[in-house]
Amino acid sequence: MKRDFEKFDEFNKILEAENVNNSESKLLPIERLAILFDDGKFKELFKYSSVSPFAESFKDGISCAFGNVNGKPIVAYATDFSFEGGSIGVHQSNQILELYRLAKNHCIPIVALIESGGAKLMDTIHVQESLAGVLREAVFSSGFIPQITCTFGHCIGASAFISVLTDFVIMEKDSNLSISGANVNKAATGEDVTQAEIGGSAIHTKHSGSAHFVTSGEENTIKKVRELLSWLPQNNKEKPPIKEYIETEEREINEILDLLPDDEMKPFDVKKLIKLFTDDNEFFEIQEDYAKNLVVGFARFNGIPVGIVANQSLYMGGALDTKSFRKAIRFINTLSAYNFPMLNFADVPGAVPTSDEHKKGILNLGASFLQALGHHKNLKLSIIVRKCFGGAYSMINPKISGGDIIYAYPNASIGIMSDKAMSSVLGKNSVIREKIDTLNEKNLKLTHPVFAVSGAYIDDIIEPKNTRIEIINVLKSFNTKVFNDIPEKTLYNFTL
């Protein structure tokens, strides 16, 4: 027995030597994991694992662990770029599969800290089979347990697909995420571009939408995971974590009156509006640089976490295009999976009708957006801030589509089109012209919210300064929604 422990002492000395970081620019996998877990404490798994029983080293390109983040258990793995480029072979895949087994069986999140050149070529067909198993686990864990990926340096091939299958992707600003490297791309297609031009962080945060966050530095990237996990439940059976928040009295927010322009077509920053009403003026924005005409993210009201979707009139007047539909669909599906109430601040002139947007598939994506809204099974609260015209009316979750509570501000406009557009289209009809003039004499318009209220299509017209009070009242009153309208089925047929 003594001899056995002496052997493990020898193993530990080897491990200790291998975990000395000789790089000034990169952290070792074990150091990355230490930043992730509370107080740097975690239990490493498979630490005596090696690529061969005859190997004189325990470096095998991956470190796996479990521990607590924000006081709650998770599992995580970090690839090691200093060992064969962090490539993933059968040996590494088996460890990742075991982590997924633990995560799924115990209903806890899994985090991947990836820096990898892709599949281990010398493992040939065997690694393809193993990686197919990892991809399968990521697919079937989607919407069941939170999956988060951080990318550092290169993340190529199978590693890239594993990353984008997860719920959230956080890219260190100098990392890249791509199907292949620049050299392979040039050989296959003749295109001569840099790795950053293929899959740099700017590509995926501004154009493809594959990444949700971009950060500067390894430590900040990993800390973003900790912050993100503070918003998420452990699995799809739990509700998002509520934080204790003490508010001595209901607060009117008079600053909103200075923020909203008198002209409904004049742009303003909706993020400022959101932060006026949230706890501690905090808003955790997601995909900030992608489809800037739509804002999505998490916030709390009296400690209750909510997913927010809001039109941003500073960009494209807040109109909906293919990118904003993609952004909304992904976020709403996440809210549905992890039991978030949804709050929508609507200020939308409609969908972009150009031929270019039709070529990009705006009809299909608009339909997918409607599917995501319809299948969101939790509380849906909408506030029409200024305008809501045309097909974008669906964005407020009308009651016939499953919306729960819909409010409008007194100066909101709701209808097929603005009164100005209506006059232009129908103004030559004397009967209609007379009706419009009669309304104008009464200081009313066809799009006035009073018509929506009279039809019981919206629940109330509220004072903007009371918005926070009204939101909290709804969240407290309707927190036990049981959704029975969707027929039982495995999944809906996505309109892609």
Side-chain angles (χ1 to χ4, degrees):
M1 181 68 75
K2 182 179 179 182
R3 208 174 297 136
D4 291 339
F5 278 114
E6 286 176 353
K7 189 64 176 175
F8 273 100
D9 285 340
E10 181 184 333
F11 287 171
N12 287 327
K13 286 177 182 177
I14 295 172
L15 279 171
E16 189 176 336
E18 290 176 344
N19 286 329
V20 172
N21 192 349
N22 295 314
S23 170
E24 295 181 0
S25 58
K26 286 186 178 292
L27 296 174
L28 291 171
I30 214 80
E31 294 173 316
R32 290 172 176 169
L33 291 169
I35 296 169
L36 174 65
F37 289 104
D38 293 348
D39 303 319
K41 296 178 180 178
F42 57 90
K43 177 66 176 178
E44 187 178 1
L45 299 170
F46 324 122
K47 65 180 179 180
Y48 298 117
S49 171
S50 61
V51 291
S52 165
F54 306 106
E56 295 180 359
S57 169
F58 294 116
K59 285 179 77 71
D60 62 355
I62 193 167
S63 295
C64 303
F66 69 88
N68 287 349
V69 174
N70 305 319
K72 295 182 178 181
I74 73 158
V75 296
Y77 66 92
T79 58
D80 185 358
F81 196 75
S82 70
F83 182 85
E84 298 181 357
S87 57
I88 298 177
V90 174
H91 183 76
Q92 294 78 18
S93 298
N94 288 340
Q95 295 181 51
I96 297 171
L97 285 168
E98 176 60 17
L99 280 189
Y100 265 107
R101 186 189 69 81
L102 284 171
K104 283 169 56 180
N105 286 350
H106 298 275
C107 304
I108 59 176
I110 183 168
V111 173
L113 310 178
I114 298 181
E115 184 172 10
S116 170
K120 196 180 295 291
L121 299 180
M122 295 307 293
D123 282 7
T124 63
I125 185 64
H126 307 295
V127 70
Q128 289 177 287
E129 187 73 14
S130 296
L131 283 170
V134 175
L135 293 168
R136 179 184 185 278
E137 290 300 318
V139 167
F140 286 106
S141 296
S142 179
F144 172 54
I145 53 172
Q147 303 177 78
I148 302 172
T149 298
C150 288
T151 64
F152 310 91
H154 294 297
C155 185
I156 295 173
S159 303
F161 281 109
I162 292 169
S163 300
V164 297
L165 276 172
T166 61
D167 296 305
F168 297 96
V169 176
I170 305 169
M171 294 186 73
E172 200 282 324
K173 69 178 179 64
D174 295 322
S175 68
N176 60 80
L177 187 66
S178 58
I179 292 173
S180 66
N183 291 337
V184 173
N185 174 60
K186 184 177 181 180
T189 68
E191 184 185 29
D192 190 7
V193 291
T194 66
Q195 192 64 44
E197 289 173 315
I198 292 176
S201 59
I203 297 295
H204 294 304
T205 53
K206 296 178 181 179
H207 302 288
S208 74
S210 295
H212 298 80
F213 306 93
V214 60
T215 52
S216 180
E218 292 186 54
E219 186 169 350
N220 289 333
T221 304
I222 298 168
K223 285 181 176 179
K224 197 72 174 180
V225 180
R226 293 179 54 84
E227 186 179 6
L228 178 55
L229 283 169
S230 73
W231 291 96
L232 300 174
Q234 289 290 90
N235 54 68
N236 68 342
K237 301 300 181 185
E238 296 182 7
K239 289 191 173 183
I242 294 174
K243 280 191 175 181
E244 184 178 1
Y245 189 84
I246 300 173
E247 193 164 61
T248 54
E249 59 183 22
E250 294 181 334
R251 284 194 290 128
E252 293 182 349
I253 313 293
N254 291 301
E255 298 92 322
I256 184 65
L257 302 176
D258 298 323
L259 179 63
L260 290 175
D262 293 331
D263 180 359
E264 69 180 22
M265 302 309 291
K266 185 177 180 180
F268 78 101
D269 189 352
V270 76
K271 287 191 267 190
K272 290 182 179 179
L273 178 143
I274 293 168
K275 291 177 182 178
L276 280 177
F277 303 132
T278 60
D279 292 355
D280 301 321
N281 307 117
E282 181 184 7
F283 177 54
F284 186 71
E285 189 175 359
I286 295 169
Q287 290 190 301
E288 181 178 3
D289 295 322
Y290 182 71
K292 289 190 173 186
N293 47 325
L294 191 78
V295 171
V296 301
F298 299 131
R300 285 188 173 90
F301 295 86
N302 203 38
I304 303 170
V306 171
I308 294 177
V309 179
N311 305 103
Q312 176 60 287
S313 59
L314 291 178
Y315 298 91
M316 300 170 57
L320 296 168
D321 64 345
T322 49
K323 279 189 173 182
S324 58
F325 276 135
R326 285 184 195 278
K327 183 175 181 177
I329 292 162
R330 180 68 186 269
F331 183 66
I332 293 169
N333 285 340
T334 301
L335 299 184
S336 189
Y338 298 116
N339 307 309
F340 280 88
M342 181 166 64
L343 170 60
N344 172 37
F345 288 103
D347 181 21
V348 56
V352 179
T354 64
S355 61
D356 188 49
E357 283 299 307
H358 279 81
K359 290 174 185 175
K360 292 176 181 176
I362 193 166
L363 287 173
N364 286 350
L365 285 164
S368 292
F369 171 70
L370 294 173
Q371 289 173 317
L373 279 177
H375 284 79
H376 181 265
K377 60 184 182 294
N378 307 297
L379 170 68
K380 292 184 265 196
L381 165 63
S382 294
I383 298 173
I384 304 170
V385 177
R386 296 196 299 174
K387 57 190 175 294
C388 185
F389 296 138
Y393 178 74
S394 63
M395 187 174 176
I396 66 169
N397 291 303
K399 291 182 174 296
I400 198 167
S401 300
D404 293 298
I405 299 293
I406 303 171
Y407 293 142
Y409 287 168
N411 293 328
S413 297
I414 310 163
I416 297 173
M417 60 183 71
S418 69
D419 272 34
K420 184 177 180 181
M422 186 81 75
S423 297
S424 175
V425 174
L426 301 174
K428 293 180 181 180
N429 185 307
S430 59
V431 176
I432 293 174
R433 179 73 264 168
E434 185 179 344
K435 287 182 178 180
I436 292 174
D437 291 340
T438 302
L439 286 171
N440 291 339
E441 288 171 8
K442 296 178 180 180
N443 202 26
L444 289 174
K445 51 187 179 179
L446 286 171
T447 56
H448 196 282
V450 69
F451 297 112
V453 172
S454 65
Y457 303 131
I458 66 174
D459 295 281
D460 199 5
I461 299 172
I462 63 171
E463 288 292 333
K465 66 180 182 179
N466 294 329
T467 302
R468 177 176 166 83
I469 297 170
E470 298 286 1
I471 291 171
I472 291 172
N473 186 33
V474 170
L475 291 173
K476 286 182 174 179
S477 299
F478 302 105
N479 62 358
T480 56
K481 184 173 181 179
V482 178
F483 197 86
N484 295 315
D485 289 351
I486 300 177
E488 187 174 342
K489 52 189 173 179
T490 305
L491 50 79
Y492 58 90
N493 186 12
F494 297 89
T495 311
L496 296 176

